[in-house]
Amino acid sequence: MKKNSPPVDYAGYLQLDRILSSQAPKSVELGAPAHDETLFIIIHQTYELWFKQILHELDSAIAMFREDYIDEKNIGIAVSRLHRIIEIQKIMIDQIRILETMTPLDFLEFRNFLTSASGFQSFQFRELEIKLGLKTNQRVKYSQQAYHHMFTAQIQSKLVEMEKNPSLFDLLESWLERTPFLDLTGFNFLKVYRQTVEKMLLLEREAIEQNLSLSAEDKKERLLLMKATEKHFHTLFDAQEHEQLIREERRSLSYKATLAALFIHLYRDQPIVHMPFMLLSAIVDIDELLSTWRYRHALMVLRMIGRKTGTGGSAGFNYLKHTTESHRVFADLFNLSTFLIPRSQLPELPEEFEKELGFYFSQKGNDTL
Amino acid sequence: MKKNSPPVDYAGYLQLDRILSSQAPKSVELGAPAHDETLFIIIHQTYELWFKQILHELDSAIAMFREDYIDEKNIGIAVSRLHRIIEIQKIMIDQIRILETMTPLDFLEFRNFLTSASGFQSFQFRELEIKLGLKTNQRVKYSQQAYHHMFTAQIQSKLVEMEKNPSLFDLLESWLERTPFLDLTGFNFLKVYRQTVEKMLLLEREAIEQNLSLSAEDKKERLLLMKATEKHFHTLFDAQEHEQLIREERRSLSYKATLAALFIHLYRDQPIVHMPFMLLSAIVDIDELLSTWRYRHALMVLRMIGRKTGTGGSAGFNYLKHTTESHRVFADLFNLSTFLIPRSQLPELPEEFEKELGFYFSQKGNDTL
Amino acid sequence: MKKNSPPVDYAGYLQLDRILSSQAPKSVELGAPAHDETLFIIIHQTYELWFKQILHELDSAIAMFREDYIDEKNIGIAVSRLHRIIEIQKIMIDQIRILETMTPLDFLEFRNFLTSASGFQSFQFRELEIKLGLKTNQRVKYSQQAYHHMFTAQIQSKLVEMEKNPSLFDLLESWLERTPFLDLTGFNFLKVYRQTVEKMLLLEREAIEQNLSLSAEDKKERLLLMKATEKHFHTLFDAQEHEQLIREERRSLSYKATLAALFIHLYRDQPIVHMPFMLLSAIVDIDELLSTWRYRHALMVLRMIGRKTGTGGSAGFNYLKHTTESHRVFADLFNLSTFLIPRSQLPELPEEFEKELGFYFSQKGNDTL
Amino acid sequence: MKKNSPPVDYAGYLQLDRILSSQAPKSVELGAPAHDETLFIIIHQTYELWFKQILHELDSAIAMFREDYIDEKNIGIAVSRLHRIIEIQKIMIDQIRILETMTPLDFLEFRNFLTSASGFQSFQFRELEIKLGLKTNQRVKYSQQAYHHMFTAQIQSKLVEMEKNPSLFDLLESWLERTPFLDLTGFNFLKVYRQTVEKMLLLEREAIEQNLSLSAEDKKERLLLMKATEKHFHTLFDAQEHEQLIREERRSLSYKATLAALFIHLYRDQPIVHMPFMLLSAIVDIDELLSTWRYRHALMVLRMIGRKTGTGGSAGFNYLKHTTESHRVFADLFNLSTFLIPRSQLPELPEEFEKELGFYFSQKGNDTL
C-alpha cells in the first residue's frame, strides 16, 4: 500500500484551485453582473462532471462486453456499474429543481450574453448518446441541419469516428445472440414459447366468444383487439417478419437477440439467468431515466424561455420533446413486455438444460470440466 | 381546548381497522395468490388518499377565489396550500419507483384477474382535472369514446355537473382580470410595455444587420427568426389577435388576464406583487409536475405492458403520452416567458402607483381611506 | 386465467368507499374545524398502508429463511422483495416534507383534540421492529415505562407472542452459520484472513515508524491508533472475546455468523457469493434507511412541537433521537467494514472450493451429484 | 444587450477543458488503478461546486442584512436565495446514494493512497459553517485538537479572520431586535402573550385535576409534566432567566430577538409579517437539512469505514454524529415551537398596529409619511 507517495491534501487532491476558479460569468465581464449567472454556470459544470462519470462507467461496461467471452463475475460488475449510472441519472433529474429556482426574468438578465453557447454543444452528451447506441440517422434534426453542424470540424470528425466503434447496444445485441439459451439440447425455446402463446390466445378468444355478459358490439370490439394481439405475437414467430420491421425502422434489435432477451425475462428466476436479467433491467432503467430527464429538461426549457428559439438558435422545446421519444435506443427492450406470458403457462426447463447453462457460465466457455 | 372529548387512540383515530382490511387481492379470491397484487392495491390506495388530500387543498383555494374580493392574507394561505399540493405531487412521481419494483412478469400473474378495472376510472382524478380547469372538449379521446363512457350514468352526470362550476382556471382568470395593475393613474402598462418591446426588437434587428461576423445566409436566417419573434409579440399588443387565437384553441387565457399575469411577472420584486407572483409560480409548478407525472406514468405503463392495450381496454401508452401535452390547463402561463423582457429595460413604476396598489390590497377593496 | 370472476371496477377493487370515507377530523367533530387535520390523518394512513406493504414483504422473506435449506432462486426473490422495502422507505423519508408544509401553529389548532393518540401506538411499526429483530430489552424506555404500556393488554400479549418467533435477524444469523464458507476443504478462512491481517498491520506499523516526515509526537499518536486497530481486529480472531462482547451487549451477531458475513463481503465478486452479498447489502440499506427515517422524524417532531412532550405524553424528540442509534438491529453488519482488507491482499480461493460452493447452492443441499 | 461581446461556445463558457481534466486518481499515479476512485473525486468536486454556489447565495443574503435598513423587497429576494440553498441541500443529501454505490471493499482499493487528505479540510465547508454562525467554541473537538489544526497557518488565520465578521446568525439577531413588533403603540406583545399563556395553562391544569377518567397516579404524572411546561414558558417571561440560559450555553438567540421571532410565528398570517415568517422558515429548513446531511454523511462513513478512524486521522463516525446536534446554529428557532399557542387564543392585533407596521416596511425606515 501507501509507500512513498507524497502526502496529499484535500484541496490538492481535488484540484480545487482549478475547479473553483473556473466560473467566469459573462455578465460580470461585460459590466452588468447578474447574480444568477453563477448558478447557471455551476449547475452545467456539475452536469458535465456527472457526464464524465457516466462515461467512465459506460466505457468500462463496453470494454467488458467487447470480449468474446464474458464471465458471470464480470456481468455482476457491469450491473453494479450500470446501477451507479442509474443513481447519477436520478440526481440529474432532481437537480433540475435547483435550476428552476432561477425565474425566467432572472435568466433574461444574462441570456443575451451567451450568444451562441448552447447545451446542444455538449460533446460529452453526444458521446454518451453514441456510446449507448444512437445513430446519426435516428437523430431528430433541428435548425434544418444535422447535429454535427453545432461542432467544429475537428470535433465533428471525432464524433463520426466514435460512431464506428461498437456501442453498448451493438455489444449487448451480439452478446445476446451468442448466449446459448435458444439452442440447447432437448429444448427449443421458440417452439415451446409459440405453442404456449397459441394455446393461450385460443383460450382467450373462446372466453370472449362465450362471455354472456358482453354485448355483441363489445364482443366484436374485443375480438378485433385480439386479432391485433395475435398479429403482434406473430412478428416474433417469424424471423422474416422481424427483419421486415427492422428494415422499416420499427424495430432495431436483431431477431436472435430479441428471442434471447425474451428467454431471459421469462426464466429470470433461474439463478443462472439472474445476472443477465439484472443487466437487461438496468439498461431499461437507464433508457427510461434518460427519457424522463429529456422530458423534464424540455419542460424546464419551455418554462424558462417559452416558445422562443433556444440559445444557439436551436428550436427549443419542440426539438427536445421529440428527442424524448425518438432518441430511445433500447425501446425494443421496453416493448418486450408485450410478448411476456404468465409464468404459470410456461413449461419448466429440462434439468440438463440448467446444467448446460451452469457450465456455460462457470466453466469459461467450452473448456473441459 | 380539549374539554369533554372522549379519549382517542391512534388506531381508532386513523380508522386503521377499515384502512388495513381493505386489501382483497383478486388472485387470492380466485385461488391463485400472486404475491405482488398487494403492492398493486396498496399503491393505488395511497394515490387515491393523496388525490383526496389534493382535492381538499384545491377546494379550499377555489373557495377563496370565489369571493369577489380576495385579501392578501388569503392569497398567502392559498399559496401555502398550493405548495402542499406541489410536495404531494413530487411524492406521487417518486413513488412510481416503488411500483416499478414489480416486473412485467409479476404483473402478468394477476393482470387478467382485473378484467375491466382501470385507472381511467379514478373519479377523484377526473375531479382533479375538472377542478383545475380541463374541459371535456380538450380531452384526448380513447377507445374512440368520450371519457365519460368509463363511468356509470350516475357518476357521469356528477362529472358533467362538476364541470359547470368555476374551476381554478376560471377563477384565476377573473381574479387576474379584476386586479388593478393595468388601469391605474398615470401608467398604462400595455403602452409602456409595447414601446419597450418595440425599441428592444429594433436594436436587436440592427445588431444582426451590422454583425460583421455573420455570413449573409446566417443573417437571413436570423432575421427570419426575428420576424417570427416580432409576430409573436404582436399577438399581445392586439386584443383582436388574441381573441382569434382563443377561437382557434391556440390560447385559452383571456386577453386582460394575460396582460395582468405578464405585469405580475415583470414587476414581481415589488412587495405588493410578491404574493400574486408566488401564486402564479405555484400554479405553473403544479401544471409542470402533473405533466411530469403523466409522462412518468406513461413510461411505466409502457414498460409494464408494452404496447398492448391497457387494463379496461384503454389504448395504454399512446393515450397517456398524448395527455401529457394536451391536458395542460395552464399552458398559457408557461408560455408567458416568451413575452418577458429584461428587467433593465423595464421602466420603474410611478410612486403613486405603488401606493394605489398598496391600498387596493390592504384596504379591502374600494373602501375609502 | 380469468374464468368466472365477476367483472371488477376500479373503485370496487380498491374499496375506495371505505378508504376515502375513513377520515374523521376530531376538530370537525368538536366544532372547531382545522383545515390541516385532514393532512395529518391522511399522511398517517399512507404510512400505515406502507407499513402493511413492508410487513407483507418481510413476512415472505422470513418464511423463506425459516426453511432448513434456502435455494439460490429464493435468495434472489428475497433480495428483490427487500429492494422493494428499500424503495418504500425512501418514500417514507421523503414524504415527511409533505407533513412539514403544516406549520407548528397549524398543528396547534387541533393538537389538543388528539389527547392521548400517539404514533407510539402504531402496532404495525412495533411489529416491523420485532420482525426485524429488535428485542424488548434493547428498546429505549420512555415515560419511565416499557413500551408495551402504550397498548391494551390484548395487544401487549400479541406483541410478546410475536417476539417469540424467529426474527429476520435470528434467521439470517442461523443461515449465515449454516453456510459452508468457513469449513470447506483446503481453505480455513479464519486462518488465511488472520495471517493476511497480521502481515498487513505489521507493514503499516513499520511504515509509520520509518516515516521521516512525521514528528515524534505524530508517530506516537499514530502508533496509538494502530494499537487500537490491532486490538479491534483481535476481537475477530478469538471466539471468546467475541462472546464476551456479546455478553456486554456491544455486539449481537454470533461469532460464526460474523465470520461468514465477512467472507461474503471479501469474496463478493465470486458469482456464487453474489446473491448472498446482495442480501447483506439490502439488509444494511434497510437498517440505514430506518435510522435516517427515525432521525428525520425526530427533527420534524422537534420542529413541530419543540421540546414539549409528544402527544400521548411521550418524551418527544429525545426519545426519538435515541432510537435512531439504539434501535439499530443490524449494526454489526454495518460495522463489518472495520474488518475489511483490500482485495489485493486477499488470497484467491482454491478452485475446488468454488466447485464445492457451486454444488452447495445448485444441488439442493447435500444431495449427491 | 449583447453588443460587442465575442461569441461564446458552450465548452469555453463552462471552461470544460479545466473542469474535465482535473481528475487525477492517486491509484492511477501509483500504478494500481482503482476504477472507483474517479467517482470519489468527481462527487467531492460536485460537492465543492455546490458549496461555492451556497456561499454565493449566503454572501448575498448577508450583504443585504448588513444594511441598517432592509426593505421588504430585499427580504423577498433573500428568501428566494435561501430557497435555492434549500434545493441544493436536498441534492447534497440525495447524492450520497451515488457514493454508496461504491462498496467498502472498493473504497479500500485506494483509501490508503489518500494518506492525510480528509473532508475535514474542506475550506468552503468551514466557511459555510462560520458564515451561518458557528463559533469555534461550539465546535466538537476531534483528534483532541481544535479544528484549525487541519489547515495550514495561512488558511487558519483566514478562518479566524472570517469569524470576526458578522454571520447570518448575528445579522438575523440584530435585525430581529430592530423590528418594531414588540414596542408599538397600544400593544405590549410580551404582556399580552404572557397573560394568554397563563390563562391557558391554568385551564389545562384544571382540566387534568377534574378529569375523572385519569387515575390518581396518572394525574400526578401529568401535573408534573405541567409543572415542567410552566417552568419552560417562564424562561420567556423573564429576560434575566433567558440571559442566564445564554451564559450556560443552553440558548443562543438574544431575549429581544427571541420575542420578535415568536411574534412573527404567532402573527404570520398578517401580510406584513409574511415575508419575515418565510425568512425564518427558510433558515430553519436550512438548519434542518444541514443536520440531516450531517447525519446521512455520518451513517455513510460508518458504513464505508466502520469504526476505524477516518482518512486524515479523524475520529470518523462519532465525531460526525456529534456535529449533527452540536453544530446546529439555529436550534433556538427550532425550539420556538415550544412557545407557540393556538391561534384561537391569540388576541387580534389593534388596527393602528397594522398600519404602523405597514409604514415601517413600506416607508423606508423612519421617514415621514
Side-chain angles (χ1 to χ4, degrees), chain A residues 122-179:
Chain A
S122 167
F123 178 76
Q124 288 194 126
F125 190 67
R126 297 306 155 199
E127 188 177 346
L128 169 59
E129 291 183 321
I130 289 170
K131 284 181 171 169
L132 285 174
L134 190 67
K135 305 295 179 210
T136 298
N137 59 7
Q138 289 176 275
R139 288 184 182 276
V140 174
K141 302 282 182 296
Y142 60 88
S143 304
Q144 281 85 32
Q145 282 151 333
Y147 85 108
H148 294 306
H149 186 77
M150 273 297 159
F151 298 102
T152 64
Q154 198 195 350
I155 291 194
Q156 278 178 46
S157 61
K158 257 173 109 172
L159 289 169
V160 169
E161 211 48 48
M162 208 178 268
E163 269 196 44
K164 294 181 188 154
N165 294 324
S167 65
L168 184 65
F169 179 88
D170 301 328
L171 295 168
L172 182 80
E173 184 178 59
S174 45
W175 174 74
L176 282 169
E177 289 172 352
R178 286 196 318 270
T179 55

Side-chain angles (χ1 to χ4, degrees), chain C residues 16-212:
Chain C
L16 294 185
D17 52 338
R18 283 157 60 94
I19 294 286
L20 299 177
S21 67
S22 300
Q23 295 76 33
K26 277 283 147 194
S27 64
V28 171
E29 185 188 325
L30 297 169
H35 176 84
D36 284 9
E37 194 181 351
T38 307
L39 173 66
F40 192 75
I41 293 172
I42 281 180
I43 198 168
H44 280 92
Q45 289 174 335
T46 64
Y47 273 118
E48 288 291 336
L49 284 171
W50 289 127
F51 290 159
K52 177 163 183 175
Q53 185 62 41
I54 289 178
L55 288 168
H56 183 60
E57 307 301 339
L58 195 55
D59 284 343
S60 84
I62 284 175
M64 286 174 197
F65 277 84
R66 290 191 86 146
E67 303 296 320
D68 281 341
Y69 170 75
I70 308 150
D71 80 6
E72 211 188 339
K73 185 166 158 176
N74 278 339
I75 297 183
I77 294 175
V79 165
S80 67
R81 291 183 182 168
L82 297 180
H83 280 164
R84 180 171 296 158
I85 293 178
I86 288 168
E87 292 302 326
I88 295 172
Q89 287 181 295
K90 289 179 188 168
I91 289 301
M92 281 171 51
I93 291 168
D94 287 346
Q95 75 179 29
I96 291 179
R97 286 180 197 156
I98 299 177
L99 191 52
E100 287 183 337
T101 61
M102 181 176 82
T103 64
L105 202 62
D106 293 322
F107 185 34
L108 268 185
E109 305 235 327
F110 61 93
R111 188 169 171 240
N112 280 319
F113 300 141
L114 308 186
T115 60
S116 56
S118 159
F120 294 101
Q121 295 161 348
S122 168
F123 179 76
Q124 287 195 126
F125 190 68
R126 297 304 156 204
E127 186 177 349
L128 169 59
E129 290 183 321
I130 290 171
K131 285 184 171 168
L132 285 174
L134 190 68
K135 306 293 179 214
T136 298
N137 59 7
Q138 289 176 275
R139 289 185 182 274
V140 175
K141 302 281 185 295
Y142 61 87
S143 303
Q144 280 86 31
Q145 281 150 337
Y147 84 108
H148 293 306
H149 184 78
M150 274 297 159
F151 298 101
T152 63
Q154 195 195 354
I155 291 195
Q156 276 178 48
S157 62
K158 256 173 109 173
L159 288 169
V160 168
E161 210 48 48
M162 208 177 270
E163 268 195 46
K164 294 182 190 156
N165 294 324
S167 65
L168 184 65
F169 178 89
D170 301 328
L171 294 168
L172 183 81
E173 184 178 59
S174 45
W175 174 74
L176 282 168
E177 290 172 351
R178 287 197 316 271
T179 56
F181 304 134
L182 310 174
D183 315 308
L184 287 190
T185 331
F187 187 83
N188 182 322
F189 170 62
L190 180 56
K191 196 173 141 200
V192 165
Y193 172 73
R194 182 172 185 161
Q195 284 167 349
T196 315
V197 167
E198 284 175 345
K199 198 175 126 205
M200 195 185 79
L201 292 173
L202 189 69
L203 284 170
E204 230 169 291
R205 175 174 285 277
E206 285 174 8
I208 295 172
E209 282 162 352
Q210 290 156 21
N211 189 332
L212 302 175

Side-chain angles (χ1 to χ4, degrees), chain A residues 16-73:
Chain A
L16 293 185
D17 52 339
R18 284 156 61 94
I19 294 286
L20 298 177
S21 67
S22 299
Q23 295 75 32
K26 277 284 146 192
S27 64
V28 171
E29 184 188 326
L30 297 169
H35 176 84
D36 284 9
E37 193 181 352
T38 306
L39 172 66
F40 192 75
I41 293 172
I42 281 179
I43 198 168
H44 279 94
Q45 289 175 334
T46 63
Y47 273 118
E48 288 290 335
L49 284 170
W50 288 127
F51 291 160
K52 178 164 182 175
Q53 186 62 41
I54 289 178
L55 288 169
H56 183 62
E57 307 301 340
L58 195 56
D59 284 342
S60 84
I62 284 175
M64 285 174 198
F65 277 85
R66 290 191 87 147
E67 303 295 320
D68 281 342
Y69 170 77
I70 309 151
D71 79 4
E72 211 187 339
K73 183 166 160 176

Side-chain angles (χ1 to χ4, degrees), chain D residues 36-47:
Chain D
D36 284 9
E37 193 180 353
T38 306
L39 173 66
F40 192 75
I41 293 172
I42 281 181
I43 199 168
H44 279 93
Q45 289 174 335
T46 64
Y47 273 118

Side-chain angles (χ1 to χ4, degrees), chain A residues 184-186 349-359:
Chain A
L184 288 190
T185 330
L349 289 185
E351 210 170 314
E352 311 82 59
F353 191 85
E354 288 189 57
K355 273 195 198 151
E356 266 181 277
L357 283 178
F359 290 133

Side-chain angles (χ1 to χ4, degrees), chain B residues 67-129:
Chain B
E67 303 296 320
D68 281 341
Y69 171 76
I70 309 149
D71 80 5
E72 211 187 339
K73 184 167 159 175
N74 278 339
I75 297 183
I77 295 175
V79 165
S80 67
R81 292 185 181 168
L82 296 180
H83 280 163
R84 180 172 297 159
I85 293 178
I86 288 168
E87 292 303 326
I88 295 173
Q89 287 182 293
K90 289 179 189 167
I91 289 301
M92 281 171 52
I93 292 168
D94 287 347
Q95 76 179 29
I96 291 179
R97 285 181 198 155
I98 300 177
L99 191 51
E100 287 183 338
T101 61
M102 180 176 82
T103 64
L105 202 63
D106 293 321
F107 185 33
L108 268 185
E109 306 235 327
F110 61 93
R111 188 169 171 241
N112 280 319
F113 301 141
L114 308 186
T115 60
S116 56
S118 159
F120 294 100
Q121 293 161 348
S122 168
F123 179 75
Q124 287 195 126
F125 190 68
R126 298 302 157 203
E127 187 177 349
L128 169 59
E129 290 183 322

Side-chain angles (χ1 to χ4, degrees), chain C residues 100 103-106 108-109 225 265 268 285 288 292 296 303 306-309 337-338 340-341 343, chain D residues 100 103-106 108-109 225 265 268 285 288 292 296 303 306-308 337-338 340-341 343:
Chain C
E100 287 183 337
T103 64
L105 202 62
D106 293 322
L108 268 185
E109 305 235 327
L225 284 173
H265 270 81
R268 66 163 163 114
D285 279 335
E288 186 176 19
T292 304
R296 277 290 283 122
R303 181 176 187 165
R307 299 202 173 260
K308 271 184 267 191
T309 49
S337 316
T338 331
L340 294 183
I341 54 177
R343 238 188 228 98
Chain D
E100 287 183 338
T103 63
L105 201 64
D106 293 321
L108 267 186
E109 305 237 327
L225 283 173
H265 270 81
R268 65 162 165 115
D285 279 335
E288 186 177 17
T292 304
R296 277 289 281 121
R303 181 176 187 165
R307 299 202 174 260
K308 271 185 265 190
S337 316
T338 331
L340 295 183
I341 54 178
R343 237 187 229 98

